[in-house]
Amino acid sequence: MRLGILIAAGAMLAVSARADASDTVDAAAQQFITCAGAYNWTSATLAQAGKPAASEHMRGYGRGAQTVAQWILASEYNLANEASPRPMGDWKDFVEVQIDRETVRLAAMAEMDDQDGIRQILENCTALSEVQAKIINDLRKQWAPQPE
């Protein structure tokens, strides 16, 4: 599992040689938190534009990014605290507050007409979409009921 976390983090980040694994994992979680906020902002913008299907599609991406961020944080914690592991859900409130902050940040960028900044964030999120999809699919397989 630790290898999976580090692979996900490495796929997302250009990490300096001085960064330790914990910093890398935290930065990876933050990337997905930023994306969840960006997807939520995009969803709200599409809803206001009268595009409900596109809005719901982006909301799904936001939920996925939130799930991945929670999974990264829980996995890191559980590797360091094997005697007292915590489920992914324990990170929900912590992650949601940060996602809300990112959603507001994107809205502020739009108000300030910072299209280049918004574009860069969305491009970063697009680059992470394959990693996000892989982690979500792996989690679905893990959570799926096993045949008896």
Side-chain angles (χ1 to χ4, degrees):
M1 169 117 43
R2 180 181 189 109
L3 179 60
I5 296 168
L6 292 176
I7 288 171
M12 296 176 279
L13 303 168
V15 180
S16 72
R18 294 168 295 183
D20 69 17
S22 180
D23 290 342
T24 302
V25 172
D26 290 343
Q30 185 57 53
Q31 287 278 344
F32 283 103
I33 288 167
T34 297
C35 290
Y39 293 138
N40 290 351
W41 171 78
T42 303
S43 174
T45 302
L46 290 166
Q48 289 174 351
K51 299 179 181 185
S55 173
E56 182 57 32
H57 181 73
M58 293 309 294
R59 236 171 47 90
Y61 273 105
R63 287 189 302 268
Q66 177 176 343
T67 299
V68 171
Q70 288 176 219
W71 173 79
I72 290 170
L73 293 170
S75 297
E76 176 191 32
Y77 177 87
N78 292 341
L79 286 170
N81 299 282
E82 291 180 16
S84 58
R86 292 172 57 187
M88 255 178 50
D90 282 3
W91 302 97
K92 185 176 189 232
D93 292 341
F94 174 76
V95 169
E96 282 181 344
V97 167
Q98 294 181 66
I99 290 170
D100 290 345
R101 181 194 71 227
E102 291 296 324
T103 303
V104 170
R105 182 170 74 102
L106 267 284
M109 291 170 75
E111 288 175 1
M112 301 293 289
D113 201 30
D114 184 3
Q115 298 303 312
D116 290 339
I118 293 169
R119 186 176 306 107
Q120 182 62 52
I121 290 169
L122 293 175
E123 285 174 0
N124 290 344
C125 295
T126 299
L128 296 177
S129 64
E130 286 185 36
V131 173
Q132 177 175 322
K134 179 175 181 0
I135 292 170
I136 293 296
N137 287 333
D138 288 349
L139 288 172
R140 283 183 181 137
K141 288 175 192 172
Q142 180 181 346
W143 294 335
Q146 301 299 317
E148 295 181 25

